[in-house]
Amino acid sequence: MDFAALGRAPLRLTAGARRVTSRDLQIVEATDALLEEDVPEPDGVAQSVSLLRGFNATIPSADKGRTRRRQTRNVDAPKMGLKRLGMSARGMLADEDDHESVVSEDDVVLVGSVAGKKAKGKRRGRQSLSASVVFGRDELVRQTHEIQRDKENIHVRRALLNNEIVEVTHKIEALDAIRTKLEQDLLRLQEDELELDDELEGVKERLELEESRTRSTKGSQVASHLQQSSRRRKGPAFLPSEHDELPHGVAFMSLEGHSSPIAALDFSEPYGTLVTASQDDSQPRVWDLMSGEELGRLRGHRGTVKCVQVEDMMCLTGGDDGNVGVWDLRRVDEDDDWERDSEVVSLSDVAEEDEGVDELGMRRPDVNGSIRQGMSTPSSAIEKDGPCIRLLEGHTKAVTTLYFEDECLVTGASDKTMRQWDLTTGQCVMTMDILWAISHPPAAAPGTGLPNHLFPGAAASAGSFAVPTPPYSDGSWEMYQDFVGAVQFWGYALVSGSGDGAVRMWDMRTGQPHRTLLGHTAPVTCLQFDELHVVTGSLDKSIRIWDLRTGGIFETLKYDYPVTALQFDTRKIVAATGENGLEVYNRTSMQHSRLLTNGHAQPAERLRYMDKYLVSGGRDSMVKIWAL
Amino acid sequence: MPTELPYAADAEVSLSYDELEVLRTQYQKELAQSHVTVQTKFNYAWGLVKSPLREHQVEGVRLLQEIYRAEPTRRRECLYYLALGHYKMDNYEEARKFNSLLMEKEPTNMQAQSLASLIDKKVARDGYIGMALVGGVAAVSALVAATLIRRATRR
């Protein structure tokens, strides 16, 4: 029996019916939950300023002392109507105010009396206001104590305010962090949108292809040319399902075989066929990317192969010997037989080369290019057996860059010219002379001699072009002799990057350059353009992004070492910038990152990617395949 | 350093209506800005608890509970104020719970000890009243029973 509860009952009953509100219940219910909670040691402000002290410092009556003291200092002076003065000075005095308060009637400046006093001539100085009020000693002591207390109150209030400020600052910081995260999310959305745009284009292409296929009655017309070349295709590639499981940014496959730095590479599609060429080797190797095995080699060149492009099963190579080889990659294994009967076999090769000849059997090293020279019949445009369909001759010096699409090919060579070829006939259609373009700039400048904005060491009208490259990250450098570093065309528009650092835009119908983009201070080594931008990389350690229409520079990315290769799409630029790791620049978030995991041991020099599949070649003679 | 707390007598002294109004306005102004400082809330809550009106006390205790929940560093002080609030509202059980938790944390606190004794006194007084009531009821029922029995036996 709880007597206490019983005892309370009469009081409750007699003291009037009181509704038990929800608040009452709320309080009582919450009690138990609250008691569970942890009660830590108070620290910080809670320790220095207790709630009670804060209460006493901040309640309105805390100010009582001050007002009291002010009142004690109030002197009884004749009414001067100061309030009225003040209000009229502020321009707020209205007619109604006259009738409002009784007090205001007295608030009239008694000008008359003052003036009267003066007129009487009595020059008695007015007493100081403070003279009329006398404070006793007790009063003064009391005021001292009061003021001390007020000062302590201020100290308390200051502590409270400081604490509040600190808390609010923390909140602001937290909110700022949230905001930056949201902004990053926005950027990521933008990137996704660009990716979707590309995918849409790819799907549209396929749709057109399908429609044309169903429309065409002649089944023999293979619509292979309706599909855009791999360089212009934007949609995502077809990849084996396992590719998604690969870790991002890791080189999952390495192809060994070359013994000198990789000079050029290209592949037909992810997990398709890869062709690589290295510096001291005149035979590019053909690999199967699905298995990582070497399928064969392309024999036909006499010097280093400096540029390669692969489209489906057709491959074009340009070499130091000034020739362009056209190859059918489907016939690579047939080449085997052709070689076997040659004298080469009987030579020391048998003793030399190494590991087992597999079923595709042809790891025949071609150590002596000169011997082979005797074998091949150096005549132009002969249909050969084996992978080589055709050999295009015409350039007098090394072919350093090429680009072909459908039946049109453009090559750039160290003889400072560019040639346009028709691949069906194998004939050179046009020759564009860069030297001529340099000395006759399209702008209305009275150009006699070299324009002086080109860097010294630019091509002289005669003589060979050789510029020492700045050292790569491992210190190595070489003499760069490719006058035409890169070409690309689309329809009639051709863009070339050359050794004088200029990027020229040509009209292939006339063979004349109509615009020159100046900015690089060293030979241009690589370039690519799409509908909006031209991106160029050069030995001056920079990548420049130009506006295709106006020729103005959008952005310049600076690096520590010369840029030797690049490729871009709407979202990123992947470049070989003279370091072991490949540089990936995210165009929406403007972030740089490097591909390093299981990467090259020496600077990477060449690269090509399609969708999430990247192939890179480096000075360490290794070819690495990455999942982006 | 023991927490600075007011004696229970302080809770019986209420603020003037104007002062409470000022505190309420300040609290509501800060509410409108959606940033209420602990001090303002406490000022208002303590002003309400000191008031003689029961609705005020209830509201005051509710605000104190909010402070308790939100500010871990202030919890120890709040224990005392909550105990005091419940004591004024005659919720002796809750008051005792809060106060004993406080005394666990701070055994030497003078105000907590005095509040504890006050609560005990009140509870004891109610107990006596209860006992008296029970005794009275027992006595009356005994009388009624006796009358009934006598009437029955007389028949």
Side-chain angles (χ1 to χ4, degrees):
Chain A
M1 260 240 150
D2 188 1
F3 289 122
L6 264 181
R8 247 174 279 148
L11 194 63
R12 292 237 170 107
L13 291 171
T14 54
R18 212 179 26 237
R19 277 179 307 134
V20 177
T21 63
S22 67
R23 292 246 168 97
D24 285 293
L25 291 173
Q26 206 179 16
I27 295 174
V28 174
E29 278 162 24
T31 313
D32 287 326
L34 288 182
L35 285 168
E36 299 287 312
E37 294 198 32
D38 184 37
V39 180
E41 289 284 324
D43 72 333
V45 177
Q47 193 179 33
S48 55
V49 180
S50 77
L51 281 174
L52 186 65
R53 181 128 38 111
F55 176 75
N56 289 328
T58 51
I59 53 174
S61 50
D63 239 7
K64 246 186 343 202
R66 223 164 159 201
T67 38
R68 190 195 70 81
R69 290 197 301 280
R70 189 173 301 133
Q71 278 173 354
T72 59
R73 290 194 293 272
N74 281 346
V75 176
D76 265 339
K79 296 241 185 277
M80 286 182 285
L82 282 172
K83 182 175 181 193
R84 217 147 176 261
L85 267 179
M87 294 295 258
S88 62
R90 279 168 75 186
M92 284 174 60
L93 197 57
D95 286 333
E96 303 93 59
D97 288 348
D98 290 345
H99 310 300
E100 285 237 326
S101 59
V102 179
V103 184
S104 65
E105 282 183 16
D106 298 342
D107 292 340
V108 177
V109 178
L110 298 173
V111 179
S113 56
V114 173
K117 275 192 183 149
K118 274 199 178 161
K120 281 185 188 170
K122 282 186 187 166
R123 298 297 268 110
R124 204 177 32 162
R126 200 167 48 85
Q127 264 181 325
S128 153
L129 283 173
S130 65
S132 58
V133 182
V134 175
F135 285 145
R137 186 187 167 276
D138 289 335
E139 171 68 21
L140 288 170
V141 168
R142 181 179 170 197
Q143 286 195 358
T144 327
H145 288 312
E146 266 182 16
I147 294 177
Q148 301 279 40
R149 259 206 308 267
D150 286 345
K151 285 185 73 169
E152 279 171 22
N153 280 350
I154 290 199
H155 186 72
V156 165
R157 284 158 80 182
R158 182 181 300 132
L160 286 172
L161 281 173
N162 280 338
N163 189 41
E164 277 306 310
I165 289 176
V166 165
E167 275 191 29
V168 170
T169 314
H170 282 157
K171 278 192 199 162
I172 290 179
E173 278 171 15
L175 287 174
D176 264 340
I178 292 177
R179 181 173 58 174
T180 38
K181 237 175 252 140
L182 288 174
E183 282 171 357
Q184 280 174 1
D185 284 343
L186 257 185
L187 280 179
R188 235 168 277 141
L189 268 185
Q190 215 172 325
E191 229 184 292
D192 284 344
E193 194 181 24
L194 290 171
E195 213 177 310
L196 284 176
D197 282 340
D198 278 356
E199 215 181 315
L200 185 63
E201 296 229 7
V203 169
K204 272 190 195 156
E205 259 178 54
R206 293 198 169 266
L207 191 61
E208 275 173 31
L209 211 62
E210 279 305 307
E211 283 181 357
S212 67
R213 245 185 224 147
T214 53
R215 263 188 279 121
S216 73
T217 50
K218 302 172 219 162
S220 61
Q221 174 64 0
V222 181
S224 60
H225 290 307
L226 279 179
Q227 197 170 39
Q228 282 190 350
S229 73
S230 68
R231 306 227 162 182
R232 287 231 310 258
R233 206 181 307 148
K234 291 200 181 163
F238 285 78
L239 298 163
S241 49
E242 284 181 38
H243 187 89
D244 293 334
E245 294 163 23
L246 284 169
H248 175 94
V250 170
F252 62 92
M253 216 194 285
S254 300
L255 303 177
E256 287 183 71
H258 284 291
S259 45
S260 48
I262 308 287
L265 59 86
D266 197 5
F267 59 99
S268 59
E269 57 169 9
Y271 298 97
T273 318
L274 167 75
V275 176
T276 58
S278 69
Q279 269 178 14
D280 300 333
D281 193 352
S282 69
Q283 296 179 12
R285 299 184 192 214
V286 182
W287 311 76
D288 174 14
L289 286 171
M290 194 75 90
S291 58
E293 303 284 326
E294 190 183 319
L295 290 173
R297 304 202 193 176
L298 306 175
R299 299 181 168 91
H301 278 289
R302 284 196 297 275
T304 324
V305 171
K306 306 211 75 165
C307 47
V308 172
Q309 187 178 345
V310 175
E311 292 293 335
D312 280 340
M313 282 292 126
M314 182 147 89
C315 170
L316 259 68
T317 57
D320 255 351
D321 51 6
N323 295 340
V324 176
V326 182
W327 315 82
D328 181 355
L329 293 176
R330 285 174 289 224
R331 294 200 241 154
V332 169
D333 9 341
E334 294 171 19
D335 196 27
D336 195 0
D337 306 323
W338 188 72
E339 271 299 299
R340 217 167 272 162
D341 310 324
S342 67
E343 301 159 21
V344 182
V345 177
S346 62
L347 290 177
S348 51
D349 294 352
V350 177
E352 270 194 286
E353 199 54 36
D354 50 334
E355 57 268 28
V357 180
D358 50 14
E359 67 277 16
L360 298 175
M362 0 161 328
R363 308 261 268 129
R364 213 144 319 195
D366 192 34
V367 180
N368 297 329
S370 55
I371 297 178
R372 293 204 52 258
Q373 216 164 354
M375 300 298 301
S376 59
T377 40
S379 59
S380 55
I382 288 186
E383 295 273 349
K384 293 186 181 165
D385 291 337
C388 182
I389 303 176
R390 215 192 279 274
L391 207 61
L392 305 174
E393 296 178 355
H395 282 292
T396 51
K397 291 206 186 151
V399 174
T400 53
T401 179
L402 61 84
Y403 184 83
F404 81 93
E405 200 169 303
D406 296 338
E407 295 304 316
C408 179
L409 161 74
V410 172
T411 57
S414 295
D415 57 5
K416 302 176 191 135
T417 64
M418 295 194 295
R419 283 173 185 253
Q420 182 186 351
W421 310 75
D422 180 343
L423 286 172
T424 36
T425 61
Q427 299 300 324
C428 170
V429 170
M430 174 159 55
T431 308
M432 292 167 269
D433 192 341
I434 303 187
L435 269 187
W436 194 90
I438 293 178
S439 43
H440 298 80
T448 49
L450 288 172
N452 53 8
H453 42 244
L454 297 172
F455 67 99
S461 53
S464 60
F465 166 74
V467 168
T469 70
Y472 293 132
S473 67
D474 62 349
S476 63
W477 61 276
E478 48 196 20
M479 291 305 287
Y480 186 76
Q481 292 176 311
D482 303 347
F483 190 72
V484 185
V487 285
Q488 185 184 336
F489 67 87
W490 184 23
Y492 295 119
L494 168 77
V495 182
S496 71
S498 43
D500 55 350
V503 178
R504 287 190 177 78
M505 299 166 67
W506 307 71
D507 183 341
M508 291 203 295
R509 292 170 291 195
T510 63
Q512 299 298 318
H514 58 85
R515 179 176 268 148
T516 309
L517 304 177
L518 297 164
H520 282 296
T521 52
V524 176
T525 51
C526 45
L527 76 82
Q528 184 188 340
F529 69 90
D530 65 3
E531 290 94 342
L532 297 170
H533 303 109
V534 180
V535 180
T536 57
S538 130
L539 294 181
D540 67 357
K541 310 176 190 171
S542 72
I543 290 181
R544 280 169 197 262
I545 306 178
W546 316 74
D547 183 335
L548 188 67
R549 272 183 244 278
T550 64
I553 295 193
F554 271 140
E555 227 178 312
T556 306
L557 306 170
K558 296 224 184 338
Y559 296 98
D560 299 325
Y561 304 102
V563 180
T564 49
L566 67 82
Q567 187 179 337
F568 80 97
D569 61 25
T570 47
R571 281 118 32 220
K572 60 184 182 289
I573 301 180
V574 185
T577 56
E579 290 185 38
N580 298 0
L582 290 160
E583 151 89 3
V584 178
Y585 171 68
N586 184 326
R587 288 173 76 188
T588 36
S589 69
M590 310 230 237
Q591 303 282 335
H592 296 261
S593 60
R594 291 253 157 209
L595 294 175
L596 290 166
T597 323
N598 198 24
H600 291 280
Q602 280 182 284
E605 281 193 312
R606 297 280 175 257
L607 67 94
R608 177 110 171 89
Y609 74 86
M610 282 192 209
D611 197 22
K612 305 256 171 265
Y613 190 89
L614 169 83
V615 179
S616 66
R619 292 184 77 80
D620 53 359
S621 330
M622 295 282 286
V623 177
K624 297 229 175 228
I625 298 156
W626 308 74
L628 286 177
Chain B
M1 179 165 134
T3 334
E4 200 182 313
L5 295 167
Y7 278 100
D10 190 13
E12 305 292 337
V13 179
S14 68
L15 299 173
S16 75
Y17 177 74
D18 287 332
E19 283 191 320
L20 194 58
E21 267 308 299
V22 170
L23 290 177
R24 176 180 300 134
T25 333
Q26 186 150 26
Y27 175 68
Q28 274 162 354
K29 190 159 57 137
E30 289 195 7
L31 256 188
Q33 288 175 348
S34 74
H35 180 82
V36 186
T37 61
V38 175
Q39 193 60 56
T40 323
K41 205 177 203 175
F42 173 77
N43 288 359
Y44 185 47
W46 183 229
L48 285 172
V49 166
K50 279 158 62 109
S51 145
L53 298 174
R54 175 143 173 142
E55 306 117 40
H56 287 181
Q57 292 162 5
V58 166
E59 179 66 13
V61 170
R62 195 185 67 80
L63 285 174
L64 282 169
Q65 282 184 339
E66 278 178 22
I67 297 179
Y68 186 90
R69 221 175 263 125
E71 304 282 330
T73 47
R74 297 283 188 192
R75 275 185 193 156
R76 200 185 276 184
E77 299 172 69
C78 279
L79 282 173
Y80 182 78
Y81 292 108
L82 281 164
L84 209 43
H86 281 295
Y87 171 76
K88 272 194 89 174
M89 290 196 296
D90 298 330
N91 299 346
Y92 299 123
E93 271 312 305
E94 277 85 26
R96 194 180 266 158
K97 280 188 207 163
F98 281 117
N99 203 30
S100 51
L101 183 54
L102 172 63
M103 290 215 286
E104 265 176 58
K105 301 282 175 182
E106 243 177 73
T108 58
N109 194 301
M110 304 281 293
Q111 292 87 359
Q113 288 167 357
S114 103
L115 181 63
S117 58
L118 277 174
I119 296 176
D120 288 337
K121 257 189 269 179
K122 272 278 177 76
V123 167
R125 187 180 71 108
D126 284 347
Y128 293 143
I129 296 178
M131 273 192 280
L133 262 180
V134 168
V137 166
V140 166
S141 59
L143 264 176
V144 168
T147 327
L148 282 172
I149 293 171
R150 210 175 292 137
R151 223 178 269 160
T153 51
R154 212 175 277 160
R155 286 281 155 84

